[in-house]
Amino acid sequence: MTERELDEILTVRWPLVLRRVMADGSDTWLQGFARSIARHGKRPTWQPSPKQAALMRQLAAELGHPKQDGFELIER
């Protein structure tokens, strides 16, 4: 994982991932993982392991975007 990709995930997408995982409340392991990554991400020299990086990418892709509720922002 490049530093740029890590920075983007931790600053832009991870807060959304963390909120969604914590709100769901059904998977305690996933909650612990999300909190752990948020905690480790504050250290400037930390780099995720390959396994952590893969899971971070997957979670960011699935949960790291604002919810689309199916409504239009522009009136017709």
Side-chain angles (χ1 to χ4, degrees):
M1 180 175 286
T2 64
E3 286 205 29
R4 183 176 179 173
E5 183 183 12
L6 180 61
D7 286 343
E8 178 187 341
I9 288 175
L10 288 175
T11 58
V12 177
R13 295 184 181 189
W14 206 253
L16 292 171
V17 170
L18 191 58
R19 281 189 209 109
R20 289 200 182 161
V21 167
M22 299 311 268
D24 181 28
S26 63
D27 191 345
T28 57
W29 182 88
L30 191 55
Q31 288 177 339
F33 176 78
R35 280 193 303 253
S36 173
I37 296 300
R39 193 171 39 251
H40 288 302
K42 293 177 183 178
R43 296 191 337 235
T45 59
W46 177 76
Q47 286 291 316
S49 70
K51 194 172 184 179
Q52 288 173 323
L55 191 52
M56 287 172 67
R57 283 186 188 108
Q58 180 184 354
L59 289 171
E62 292 174 4
L63 304 172
H65 300 287
K67 283 188 177 180
Q68 298 294 330
D69 291 331
F71 60 89
E72 288 189 45
L73 296 176
I74 300 173
E75 294 182 27
R76 291 183 185 223

